Amino acid sequence: MAPTSLQHRRTHNILLISKLLNQRDASSPFTLILDSLEQSGRPLLAEFLSRAKAAKVQTIFVSLETLRPSRHVDVFIRAWGKTPAEWRKEVVDALKAEPTQRKLLIIDCLNSLAAIEAASLPALLSSFITPSTSLLAVYHQDVPTLASNTHDDAYSPSTITLLKYLATTIFTAHSLHHVLARKAARDRSHAEPVFGLQEGVEGGIQSLGANGVDGVVLEMEHRRKSGRGVREWYCMTPTSGDPSEHSRATLSLLEDHSSYLPVDNTAAADSDSRTESTFELGLTEKQRRDREGVVLPYFDAQKGGGDGGRILYDMGSEDDFDEEEDEI
Amino acid sequence: MSTRNRIPQLLEPYFRLPPELSLILLTGTLGCTPTWLTSLYVSSILSPQQQQQGEAYTVLLVSWMRDLKFWKTQIRRTTGLDLSKLASEQRFHFVDCTSTTLQHPSTSKDILESTVQQMQSVLSKIESHQPKSRTILILDNPDILLATASTTASNLHQALLPLRSRVHATIVSLTADSPFLAAAAAAATEEASKSRFSPVEVQTSAFVVLMAHAASFVVGVRELLTGAARDVSGVVRITRGGGAYEGDEAGDVKEVEALYLVQRDGGVKVFGRGQMGG
């Protein structure tokens, strides 16, 4: 039972994430990437950019912390050193050009934008989203914001709560090293280790293993139009070899990661089923179905209960009927 | 001028000239200041060997915590470089911000603006005098601006970006004591709504975290958990920041954690745990 549902989930969810990354069918109008010091969202952003290039989606990059645009970016708008009105006009102009072209608007640091815009952030972001434009934005989870003391917005939700509510897809980046270390501790019933700022070490802002080069663990929450949510954990591994123009990262379910498989248990289960026999003791799916399909004789006897010990007998051709003895 | 190589062998890869537009973040605590790292960076950039190898490099040091006299003695003592001579050769520039933070206590926005303008004018001067030279901008404790409530983390971050885009690379040193980071640690666990932090705590930690998100690597020095020791000054940990993924150099930075000892003559020894410093 379990392996088939995993297989189903694997096919289904891998398809879903590649659809999201490739910007197919405008499946997510507002994608939010949440990252932290332990795992930056930049590898995922780079993956979005390179796939958008391959899918011929125009990318408009609004920079609030990036100095040098990636080579896959089509339009690069510096928001720093300008007034909000100036760069917003640039963005609107870029969005208006070529109305039929599919566009991906990227904002690399919502924290800075939230600090400038604060109250009007949701309205600002929604104004950028059109049927042909999707929005992709990065928010650093560990940048604290000042709790407001004014009476006007004392009850309004925090920026991150609003963003999570607005987003149609949320990717949370986790460090592969840390996820594996936590799993290893869990498997041994140890307390799970904490990393980075949570570690609480005086003067330590990052742990060893942060921002690893072997891959990124992505926690995805996708909200369908119907309202149903899909949650999945993925592992994104960079493709080895030369970084060619359209090199893509490999995506797999986190459970399928080589270090995440329950190695010891599967090995034990395999050896159990193969104990000291050359015969195949199990059933294949077809054999099982055929066996269930067999109709056993005298099955109807079980239906007609309550008649006592009545004998049911079908006369064969070799039987001759005796009126005195036989009764049907 | 002495030509002795004072950079510890274990840290040598991190003292190569940083790639273009990159950011290096140095963090320290009250008990362990990263001034020795800053001096090593200044000397490695301005060392005669480096200058012979090709392009000329210029250093612009902007300090909010320590004045020129401190840096002159510190760098001469630890590395043998004569900053006065380099300053007269226009290869070392210094902006003293130790007093500017308190000049206009009433108009808070002007402090950041005037400081940035001062730096811009020095950069313009360098660009006009030595158009071919590459400038490394070193900021020593700009978080003083946040501690004196002169500006906000976001404003400071935004103000630094135009400066960073004008220079070859930037090195920033900040304080990372746990009281300054508590707000960031709480934000990551979504406890922020339960506990209230003061504006200084929030702004300082927000700035440290924003810088680390942009840094190609973070060099953090901290005290030993067991307290001060005679033969160990502290722990140095180098980790990849968010900027490590930028450019084609991704993965070049190897993370390291080692112990270090600043000797009485200012020289630094770096060694692995369990090994002897001597």
Side-chain angles (χ1 to χ4, degrees):
Chain A
M1 191 64 199
T4 53
S5 82
L6 176 66
Q7 183 61 46
H8 179 255
R9 203 155 57 85
R10 183 182 295 139
T11 345
H12 195 265
N13 289 348
I14 294 284
L15 209 65
L16 177 63
I17 194 169
S18 61
K19 198 166 116 182
L20 291 171
L21 286 175
N22 291 332
Q23 300 294 309
R24 229 177 293 144
D25 321 328
S27 32
S28 174
F30 177 21
T31 309
L32 180 66
I33 301 175
L34 299 176
D35 69 353
S36 64
L37 281 183
E38 295 307 298
Q39 182 56 61
S40 164
R42 290 191 195 202
L44 181 59
L45 204 60
E47 187 63 20
F48 263 106
L49 281 170
S50 76
R51 291 199 188 211
K53 188 87 179 171
K56 299 205 166 40
V57 174
Q58 190 191 21
T59 45
I60 303 163
F61 195 103
V62 180
S63 154
L64 287 136
E65 66 166 21
T66 311
L67 290 176
R68 187 169 39 183
S70 145
R71 64 207 155 107
H72 297 302
V73 172
D74 296 320
V75 182
F76 187 72
I77 296 170
R78 286 180 184 83
W80 35 272
K82 285 178 191 160
T83 62
E86 276 173 0
W87 67 260
R88 217 176 296 165
K89 190 174 173 300
E90 279 186 48
V91 174
V92 171
D93 287 348
L95 289 177
K96 270 188 191 155
E98 299 174 72
T100 48
Q101 166 72 40
R102 293 228 357 88
K103 296 188 185 80
L104 177 65
L105 179 68
I106 298 166
I107 300 177
D108 66 348
C109 179
L110 276 180
N111 307 75
S112 302
L113 196 56
I116 306 166
E117 299 289 335
S120 56
L121 186 65
L124 176 69
L125 294 181
S126 324
S127 74
F128 290 146
I129 303 171
T130 63
S132 65
T133 310
S134 323
L135 177 64
L136 173 68
V138 183
Y139 185 87
H140 306 313
Q141 275 181 298
D142 40 16
V143 178
T145 45
L146 198 56
S148 174
N149 291 319
T150 57
H151 286 296
D152 292 341
D153 46 6
Y155 298 100
S156 64
S158 62
T159 314
I160 180 68
T161 316
L162 276 173
L163 288 174
K164 279 185 178 170
Y165 177 75
L166 280 178
T168 45
T169 308
I170 302 174
F171 284 106
T172 313
H174 300 273
S175 161
L176 179 62
H177 169 269
H178 297 352
V179 168
L180 294 179
R182 281 200 202 100
K183 184 187 181 291
R186 215 162 41 232
D187 287 350
R188 290 166 190 278
S189 301
H190 288 169
E192 288 180 32
V194 284
F195 296 98
L197 291 165
Q198 274 77 52
E199 217 176 0
V201 175
E202 179 93 20
I205 62 170
Q206 276 188 310
S207 289
L208 294 176
N211 288 323
V213 286
D214 306 329
V216 184
V217 175
L218 299 172
E219 181 188 353
M220 182 200 70
E221 185 183 333
H222 175 60
R223 289 118 186 218
R224 290 165 185 279
K225 276 181 197 144
S226 64
R228 198 167 79 86
V230 183
R231 274 168 188 275
E232 188 54 79
W233 287 71
Y234 298 96
C235 179
M236 190 173 87
T237 333
T239 37
S240 51
D242 63 322
S244 62
E245 192 64 28
H246 295 311
S247 70
R248 284 182 179 186
T250 324
L251 282 153
S252 59
L253 296 194
L254 181 59
E255 281 132 289
D256 293 340
H257 189 266
S258 56
S259 319
Y260 213 81
L261 289 171
V263 184
D264 300 338
N265 300 350
T266 45
D270 279 356
S271 61
D272 275 356
S273 63
R274 264 187 246 115
T275 39
E276 299 150 21
S277 170
T278 54
F279 291 105
E280 178 59 69
L281 296 176
L283 287 172
T284 66
E285 188 64 17
K286 185 178 179 299
Q287 284 170 336
R288 198 177 59 80
R289 254 185 292 118
D290 287 351
R291 194 172 72 169
E292 275 173 7
V294 171
V295 182
L296 294 173
Y298 308 116
F299 213 74
D300 48 347
Q302 296 172 17
K303 286 181 213 154
D307 287 354
R310 197 156 63 91
I311 295 166
L312 290 169
Y313 183 65
D314 287 323
M315 299 276 283
S317 58
E318 67 281 3
D319 294 314
D320 52 20
F321 189 74
D322 190 332
E323 278 187 23
E324 289 177 5
E325 286 183 5
D326 298 334
E327 50 167 346
I328 286 174
Chain B
M1 194 183 292
S2 156
T3 51
R4 60 201 155 141
N5 187 5
R6 290 297 209 122
I7 296 165
Q9 206 186 354
L10 254 173
L11 297 187
E12 228 159 45
Y14 309 98
F15 281 90
R16 291 193 198 121
L17 282 167
E20 211 179 336
L21 292 177
S22 62
L23 176 77
I24 298 170
L25 177 62
L26 317 175
T27 65
T29 62
L30 190 61
C32 281
T33 53
T35 47
W36 61 274
L37 282 166
T38 315
S39 337
L40 279 181
Y41 268 108
V42 172
S43 71
S44 79
I45 295 160
L46 293 176
S47 73
Q49 294 102 311
Q50 200 70 264
Q51 301 290 331
Q52 281 161 12
Q53 274 170 11
E55 301 108 84
Y57 282 87
T58 316
V59 167
L60 169 57
L61 176 61
V62 187
S63 185
W64 277 266
M65 266 297 254
R66 298 159 191 97
D67 58 2
L68 183 58
K69 198 178 157 218
F70 169 86
W71 288 111
K72 271 185 182 167
T73 9
Q74 167 83 2
I75 289 170
R76 183 199 289 276
R77 196 169 66 93
T78 54
T79 63
L81 273 190
D82 185 4
L83 284 189
S84 316
K85 188 162 165 262
L86 289 162
S88 66
E89 288 170 10
Q90 298 282 321
R91 281 172 49 207
F92 177 80
H93 301 264
F94 186 79
V95 175
D96 189 345
C97 293
T98 47
S99 53
T100 47
T101 43
L102 302 170
Q103 268 171 12
H104 325 275
S106 53
T107 49
S108 60
K109 207 185 172 198
D110 290 348
I111 294 175
L112 177 63
E113 251 172 38
S114 66
T115 316
V116 168
Q117 266 168 16
Q118 208 178 343
M119 287 191 250
Q120 295 277 24
S121 69
V122 176
L123 284 176
S124 307
K125 207 171 77 184
I126 297 172
E127 278 164 15
S128 64
H129 279 289
Q130 297 135 296
K132 277 182 187 163
S133 114
R134 298 184 183 186
T135 310
I136 312 274
L137 176 65
I138 302 180
L139 306 174
D140 179 51
N141 278 112
D143 45 354
I144 292 289
L145 286 171
L146 304 168
T148 53
S150 306
T151 183
T152 64
S154 168
N155 283 346
L156 183 55
H157 181 231
Q158 295 290 309
L160 287 184
L161 283 165
L163 288 170
R164 281 180 53 201
S165 68
R166 281 184 79 173
V167 296
H168 178 75
T170 312
I171 300 169
V172 182
S173 80
L174 296 172
T175 47
D177 298 84
S178 1
F180 282 134
L181 295 177
T189 52
E190 295 181 9
E191 283 169 5
S193 50
K194 289 176 211 154
S195 44
R196 288 220 147 193
F197 290 97
S198 69
V200 169
E201 285 173 298
V202 170
Q203 302 296 358
T204 314
S205 58
F207 187 65
V208 175
V209 173
L210 278 172
M211 285 286 112
H213 269 288
S216 52
F217 59 90
V218 181
V219 188
V221 289
R222 56 173 208 266
E223 284 168 87
L224 276 180
L225 283 176
T226 45
R230 184 173 295 198
D231 51 353
V232 180
S233 301
V235 187
V236 53
R237 179 194 273 177
I238 300 175
T239 45
R240 283 185 288 266
Y245 293 106
E246 289 219 338
D248 301 325
E249 303 89 7
D252 270 2
V253 182
K254 298 267 180 300
E255 36 184 31
V256 138
E257 182 165 280
L259 304 178
Y260 74 92
L261 171 69
V262 181
Q263 288 158 313
R264 286 182 72 187
D265 65 343
V268 182
K269 279 183 175 152
V270 176
F271 45 94
R273 282 181 196 274
Q275 292 171 347
M276 285 299 290

